[in-house]
Amino acid sequence: MQNLTMSWQTAGAVAAVALASGAAVRRTGRESAGLVLREIGTVLALFSVWQFAGTLSVMGSEDATGRAQWVWDTERSLGLPSERTLQHWVLPHPWLVQGANYYYATMHFGAVIALLVWLFLRHRQYYPWARMTLVLVTASSLAVQLVPVAPPRLLPAAGMADTAVQYGQSVYGTTIGGVQADAYSAMPSVHVAWCVLVAVAVVRAGRSRWRWLAVLHPVLTVLVVVVTANHFWLDGVAALVLLGASYAVQAGASRIRARVRAPQPREELPEQSPAEVGAER
């Protein structure tokens, strides 16, 4: 299966065009259209950086398997369920495995785009918060991913199958624009960070009782990334820590802004008695 996303070069070029077009359109007085183009450009620029950052690393990928082994051993010492056991329950059902592969390849970015469009059109007051959360959690995830960690499918000791390769659905190994999807960026799981972001935003902004169905997205995503042997449990835990930190940073920044903008109380001079007034004269 071909990678269903753009290369970082294409995304960056489209982002530049969208941002420039947005600025030009806003000068003509069409504020709404300009804002839409600006937001499209911003999201694509973020995606371009994410794609490009996957090609970088501050440490050699030759140690990625050793780090993955440490993650695997740590999970066993903590008594976490085995990812291998969960995958073995699913492997006898090809339709389920192929569905998981497609979900892994498409839903992480697709759901985020759908969320941003929905918030921008229907719940504009929540849009800046969601977009900034996306920027913060993605940037912090990329910083951690500069240290390569192999996924379970590339760890011999895990004994897990690469389900996407088995069914010809792998997004790894396919070169687009001279760049391959990074196979050694398992820690943390951006898929998990983004899916929880989507669920929290829908529950917070939505008003219908059906909004709680959005919680199924992170549940399915966590199961999918494990069943397809693309992530360890701890990859998801690390993603949640970074997402929580992103929310905390925004909450702290909001409190600081509120303090700065709050009107300062006027300093009143103490009242003087008639005798003091007369003495001054």
Side-chain angles (χ1 to χ4, degrees), residues 128-145:
W129 165 77
R131 184 187 64 178
M132 182 54 66
T133 302
L134 177 64
V135 170
L136 290 175
V137 74
T138 304
S140 56
S141 295
L142 292 178
V144 176
Q145 287 176 358

Side-chain angles (χ1 to χ4, degrees), residues 157-186:
M160 298 184 70
D162 189 335
T163 59
V165 168
Q166 283 186 349
Y167 290 94
Q169 297 174 298
S170 180
V171 298
Y172 300 99
T174 300
T175 300
I176 298 180
V179 178
Q180 288 188 355
D182 183 20
Y184 295 99
S185 57

Side-chain angles (χ1 to χ4, degrees), residues 236-253:
V237 172
L240 293 179
V241 170
L242 294 179
L243 183 61
S246 300
Y247 287 138
V249 167
Q250 289 197 85

Side-chain angles (χ1 to χ4, degrees), residues 18-253:
L19 290 170
S21 300
V25 168
R26 293 180 71 183
R27 289 196 192 96
T28 66
R30 289 178 289 178
E31 190 71 18
S32 296
L35 281 175
V36 170
L37 287 169
R38 186 191 71 182
E39 295 308 322
I40 291 173
T42 300
V43 173
L44 285 174
L46 176 64
F47 179 73
S48 176
V49 172
W50 177 51
Q51 289 281 76
F52 177 70
T55 67
L56 306 176
S57 111
V58 296
M59 301 178 72
S61 59
E62 62 272 8
D63 295 325
T65 303
R67 298 184 196 101
Q69 184 67 55
W70 179 87
V71 173
W72 177 265
D73 293 340
T74 300
E75 288 186 344
R76 306 292 75 79
S77 67
L78 293 174
L80 294 178
S82 170
E83 293 91 342
R84 179 173 54 214
T85 300
L86 181 61
Q87 188 189 63
H88 284 180
W89 289 345
V90 177
L91 286 179
H93 309 285
W95 63 271
L96 197 54
V97 176
Q98 292 179 65
N101 290 336
Y102 272 113
Y103 201 97
Y104 176 82
T106 61
M107 286 301 292
H108 63 300
F109 199 66
V112 166
I113 292 297
L115 170 73
L116 293 177
V117 170
W118 176 66
L119 290 179
F120 189 84
L121 296 177
R122 301 292 300 275
H123 302 281
R124 187 74 61 85
Q125 69 273 28
Y126 291 102
Y127 180 84
W129 165 77
R131 184 187 64 178
M132 182 54 66
T133 302
L134 177 64
V135 170
L136 290 175
V137 74
T138 304
S140 56
S141 295
L142 292 178
V144 176
Q145 287 176 358
L146 290 176
V147 178
V149 178
R153 58 190 169 80
L154 297 180
L155 178 64
M160 298 184 70
D162 189 335
T163 59
V165 168
Q166 283 186 349
Y167 290 94
Q169 297 174 298
S170 180
V171 298
Y172 300 99
T174 300
T175 300
I176 298 180
V179 178
Q180 288 188 355
D182 183 20
Y184 295 99
S185 57
M187 173 71 74
S189 171
V190 175
H191 282 69
V192 171
W194 285 6
C195 73
V196 175
L197 185 161
V198 169
V200 170
V202 170
V203 170
R204 183 178 179 187
R207 293 294 176 266
S208 168
R209 62 182 178 178
W210 298 105
R211 71 187 188 276
W212 292 100
L213 289 176
V215 175
L216 291 175
H217 180 45
V219 172
L220 287 174
T221 298
V222 170
L223 292 175
V224 160
V225 299
V226 172
V227 163
T228 57
N230 281 292
H231 287 289
F232 299 100
W233 298 116
L234 288 183
D235 297 337
V237 172
L240 293 179
V241 170
L242 294 179
L243 183 61
S246 300
Y247 287 138
V249 167
Q250 289 197 85

Side-chain angles (χ1 to χ4, degrees), residues 248-270:
V249 167
Q250 289 197 85
S254 295
R255 284 194 292 269
I256 292 172
R257 283 196 301 269
R259 238 182 258 123
V260 170
R261 292 172 182 172
Q264 298 297 320
R266 289 183 59 186
E267 220 175 282
E268 296 184 5
L269 295 174

